[in-house]
Amino acid sequence: MRTGRSFALTTLSAPIAVPFPYQLSAGEQRALSSCRRSDIAHHRLLDVLALQRGILTVGADGCVRICEPCCLVKPDRCHHCSTCRKCIPKMDHHCPWFNNCVHFGNYKFFLLTLFYAVALSVYGVATIGTHEAKAWLSASTTPSSLHLTLVSLLGAVLTFGLGSFLSAHISMLLSNETTLEDMRGPVFRNPEDSFDVGRYRNFVQVFGPRVSLWMAPVFTSIGDGVRFPTKLHPVLEVSQTRPVLADARITARDASPGVVRPARLTTDSLRGSSPTPTLPASM
């Protein structure tokens, strides 16, 4: 039952929408358009937009990531899915077996589906395989023995394949990486920063602090899907509202280089996403 529910939730859970504060305002769009001819001014303006939204990562080219089709500044760990045709918060990958993206809202269900599938495969191989092994050794086989033996072999192959896949995802879970980040690690403004805040805290971000709910197919992940504690910023603070550029001008102050610190977003500005508990301070 838990396997079926986990599979259904992985398949049917739609990703949360990127909160409104990350959308580009009309003034910001005009400002970006007006400075496209100057790479330096364009990059510095993007830095300002990221600073105002508390974004800690940049693209592989060192430039702040924006999504033109969705008209937004991409939050940390957000990627545009070419299949779903929209930006997905904390996107892991698009899975054709579920016909859905694996993302912040269903990653726990995805892991539980893999776990229960592997557990059922192991159980099937252990029970049927043991019975058939005894039958072959005692020469008391029946006409159905060959079929059951083939089923056991297929179960063993499934166990090995899904088990290896599950093992890889558990490794990424404990190091707080998505599949996309494992393929190409995130680039932080501060090279010493990382989403890896310790194995236990990494695990709790996905499965929640209540041990009794870890194996239950209910949503217990911590956070809002767009902001995450990091090694250098373990505690999330919220205090700044969404900025709007009044015009298309880039002042010397706006375009000047400097250390970009994480901005603070108001809790009210994130009402577009489902609120979830924060990490306990004792962890």
Side-chain angles (χ1 to χ4, degrees):
M1 182 180 295
R2 288 192 173 188
T3 306
R5 179 176 172 81
S6 298
F7 180 87
L9 289 173
T10 305
T11 304
L12 300 176
S13 295
I16 63 172
V18 177
F20 180 74
Y22 295 93
Q23 298 290 330
L24 290 170
S25 68
E28 291 167 342
Q29 294 179 56
R30 290 194 299 269
L32 288 172
S33 298
S34 66
C35 65
R36 284 189 180 278
R37 295 181 179 180
S38 172
D39 290 339
I40 296 178
H42 190 258
H43 288 184
R44 288 178 179 174
L45 177 57
L46 287 175
D47 284 338
V48 172
L49 299 181
L51 164 66
Q52 294 169 333
R53 291 164 171 82
I55 297 173
L56 302 177
T57 59
V58 295
D61 58 354
C63 185
V64 173
R65 303 176 308 129
I66 62 172
C67 180
E68 294 185 357
C70 297
C71 196
L72 55 82
V73 183
K74 291 183 181 179
D76 294 327
R77 318 186 84 173
C78 177
H79 297 274
H80 187 89
C81 177
S82 58
T83 303
C84 297
R85 298 182 180 180
K86 60 182 177 181
C87 282
I88 309 295
K90 196 187 177 183
M91 176 180 173
D92 187 272
H93 68 283
H94 186 90
C95 184
W97 301 105
F98 294 100
N99 192 30
N100 193 12
C101 270
V102 177
H103 51 83
F104 170 77
N106 67 358
Y107 188 51
K108 176 188 176 182
F109 306 139
F110 171 75
L111 293 177
L112 288 179
T113 301
L114 292 180
F115 174 80
Y116 287 126
V118 171
L120 288 174
S121 297
V122 171
Y123 177 78
V125 171
T127 53
I128 299 176
T130 301
H131 178 271
E132 289 306 306
K134 292 180 179 179
W136 284 101
L137 291 175
S138 62
S140 58
T141 57
T142 63
S144 61
S145 294
L146 179 61
H147 297 86
L148 292 176
T149 301
L150 290 176
V151 170
S152 298
L153 291 176
L154 290 175
V157 172
L158 183 64
T159 299
F160 177 78
L162 287 181
S164 300
F165 192 49
L166 175 62
S167 177
H169 271 279
I170 290 177
S171 177
M172 288 187 285
L173 169 68
L174 296 179
S175 59
N176 208 341
E177 290 181 323
T178 63
T179 298
L180 295 176
E181 291 168 352
D182 182 61
M183 297 170 60
R184 186 175 64 187
V187 181
F188 281 85
R189 295 180 179 279
N190 189 329
E192 297 181 359
D193 209 352
S194 170
F195 290 121
D196 187 354
V197 291
R199 291 190 172 188
Y200 179 72
R201 287 172 63 88
N202 295 339
F203 182 89
V204 167
Q205 281 187 43
V206 175
F207 282 85
R210 294 183 59 181
V211 179
S212 60
L213 296 178
W214 281 357
M215 303 309 296
V218 293
F219 183 80
T220 55
S221 299
I222 292 175
D224 54 23
V226 294
R227 300 171 304 164
F228 306 90
T230 65
K231 181 179 179 181
L232 299 182
H233 306 95
V235 179
L236 295 176
E237 299 179 10
V238 290
S239 65
Q240 185 177 8
T241 58
R242 174 180 185 267
V244 177
L245 295 184
D247 51 40
R249 294 178 298 170
I250 304 175
T251 65
R253 179 179 180 182
D254 290 335
S256 61
V259 178
V260 179
R261 300 179 181 276
R264 279 72 169 156
L265 298 174
T266 61
T267 303
D268 292 339
S269 67
L270 295 173
R271 286 179 178 174
S273 59
S274 301
T276 51
T278 56
L279 282 171
S282 60
M283 295 182 189

